[in-house]
Amino acid sequence: MDVLSGILLLCLAVGLYVVCSLYLLRNPRILHKRKRLEFYCRHISHRGGSGEKIENTMEAFTHAVAVGTEMLEMDCHLTSDGYVVISHDNNLMRQTGYDKTVSSLRFQDLPLYEERLEVTFYVGHYSTGKDRKFVLLEDLFKKFPSMPMILEIKENNDLLIKKNASMPYMFTMKRGILLLLLFYTGLLPFVPLGESLLLFYLPSIINRTYIPEGAILKKRFVVYLLQKLTMRKSLFEHLIKRGLQVQLFVCNEESDMEAAFAVGATGVMSDYPTLLTNYIKKHPPPPPISYFKGNSKHCIANR
């Protein structure tokens, strides 16, 4: 009788937990105050729109803003003389043809970008441009003081993070895995989140427009599993109700943009800002739940 009573109590507790978890998943503001961000961006330009101009140049950022982007995405490294430079790679071979690192050079000694660069997330496609100079993050802030920006820190550099410490931040890889564990165990509705953005691959681009370097992502089953585990509309809706934004990348074809918005993304990142602008004009997403005011228009990653 005691064993049976214990089993019944356990079943009751589990049932109550499941009911509470599902209810709070749909109604997270019962436990959590909604985040208040100054920006709400549907249109994000990856590396400043690296499919239309040379990536991360001032020409690329200026062009993206001119055609209607709502947010600029970039990566940051620190030079040997302490300047924060916008560059995806620390090693400059791919971008410039020189086997040097940003961190080993002074800002004034950085070489020019190659005249023609392959678009990383659109294999077989290339971009060109008149501007081939590296850009200081400070100069970009000065030129576009009101433009929201995503800054991805590509290395564990405390000084570089300290220079941008006051910004809201997004999920790291480890925190993203934890987010999924919390979601699938039902614990997510009970856990506070410090992050403001979830930024993730649209898995369907992998091995199609984007060819990964790692062997594991070249396996079809792994990509299929990644798609099933991460592209959960109920997860995205929960985060959005808590005031977070969900952005999927890198969508360089209209079908991928459509898929990203369909699964619940609040924003889409593309190397082709003109294409994304035209897509949004033709297929306007539903309006956001609301706009909120916060302390910063910039967001830091890999913190």
Side-chain angles (χ1 to χ4, degrees):
M1 187 64 178
D2 289 340
V3 174
L4 181 59
S5 297
I7 293 175
L8 289 174
L9 285 173
L10 178 61
C11 291
L12 180 62
V14 171
L16 182 62
Y17 168 72
V18 170
V19 170
C20 289
S21 178
L22 289 174
Y23 182 77
L24 292 172
L25 185 70
R26 297 187 178 96
N27 302 278
R29 294 181 68 183
I30 292 174
L31 293 183
H32 305 286
K33 184 178 179 181
R34 187 181 174 88
K35 292 181 180 294
R36 296 179 178 271
L37 298 176
E38 191 170 347
F39 55 85
Y40 188 98
C41 306
R42 294 187 177 98
H43 184 309
I44 305 100
S45 292
H46 183 243
R47 304 183 196 175
S50 64
E52 297 179 5
K53 302 292 179 182
I54 296 294
E55 65 181 56
N56 290 324
T57 59
M58 192 64 79
E59 181 183 29
F61 294 124
T62 302
H63 170 71
V65 172
V67 299
T69 198
E70 297 168 338
M71 176 176 269
L72 300 171
E73 185 272 347
M74 67 214 64
D75 310 272
C76 299
H77 291 275
L78 206 61
T79 62
S80 63
D81 51 348
Y83 287 96
V84 181
V85 170
I86 300 172
S87 173
H88 181 270
D89 305 345
N90 186 32
N91 185 285
L92 298 172
M93 177 60 76
R94 177 187 67 85
Q95 296 159 282
T96 70
Y98 291 89
D99 191 14
K100 300 285 185 180
T101 61
V102 173
S103 55
S104 69
L105 298 173
R106 298 178 300 171
F107 174 68
Q108 66 187 49
D109 297 328
L110 291 173
L112 296 175
Y113 278 100
E114 296 271 24
E115 293 183 0
R116 187 170 178 260
L117 280 182
E118 185 172 21
V119 182
T120 304
F121 283 86
Y122 207 13
V123 63
H125 292 75
Y126 294 82
S127 64
T128 60
K130 296 179 180 179
D131 185 3
R132 297 164 54 205
K133 295 180 181 178
F134 284 85
V135 176
L136 288 173
L137 181 62
E138 179 182 4
D139 289 343
L140 191 67
F141 282 171
K142 290 177 180 177
K143 186 172 180 64
F144 301 110
S146 299
M147 174 60 62
M149 301 179 191
I150 295 176
L151 316 178
E152 185 171 356
I153 294 177
K154 306 297 288 188
E155 56 189 297
N156 292 322
N157 187 311
D158 291 339
L159 178 59
L160 185 53
I161 292 174
K162 187 176 181 181
K163 286 175 177 284
N164 300 281
S166 63
M167 299 179 187
Y169 56 98
M170 67 184 67
F171 287 90
T172 62
M173 182 64 72
K174 289 182 179 179
R175 287 282 295 172
I177 294 172
L178 177 60
L179 176 70
L180 287 176
L181 288 173
L182 292 172
F183 174 68
Y184 281 107
T185 57
L187 290 170
L188 180 58
F190 306 98
V191 177
L193 298 173
E195 291 83 358
S196 298
L197 262 75
L198 174 63
L199 184 63
F200 197 70
Y201 291 102
L202 179 71
S204 59
I205 71 167
I206 298 174
N207 298 318
R208 186 167 51 83
T209 60
Y210 168 60
I211 307 301
E213 294 181 2
I216 189 157
L217 284 180
K218 292 181 179 179
K219 300 180 184 298
R220 293 177 63 182
F221 174 74
V222 172
V223 176
Y224 171 82
L225 191 62
L226 191 66
Q227 172 86 25
K228 292 299 182 181
L229 289 175
T230 60
M231 298 295 103
R232 308 300 298 183
K233 197 164 188 176
S234 58
L235 169 61
F236 295 164
E237 288 175 348
H238 174 81
L239 296 176
I240 293 166
K241 287 177 181 177
R242 289 174 66 163
L244 283 80
Q245 293 177 40
V246 178
Q247 299 175 351
L248 298 179
F249 71 95
V250 174
C251 303
N252 290 330
E253 294 181 353
E254 287 196 355
S255 60
D256 297 322
M257 297 170 185
E258 180 181 7
F261 282 122
V263 80
T266 59
V268 165
M269 188 181 297
S270 178
D271 289 308
Y272 294 86
T274 304
L275 179 68
L276 182 53
T277 292
N278 292 336
Y279 176 84
I280 291 175
K281 285 179 179 178
K282 289 188 294 184
H283 311 280
I289 294 173
S290 58
Y291 288 85
F292 291 102
K293 296 294 182 181
N295 295 323
S296 177
K297 286 191 173 76
H298 311 311
C299 188
I300 190 169
N302 286 12
R303 186 172 178 183

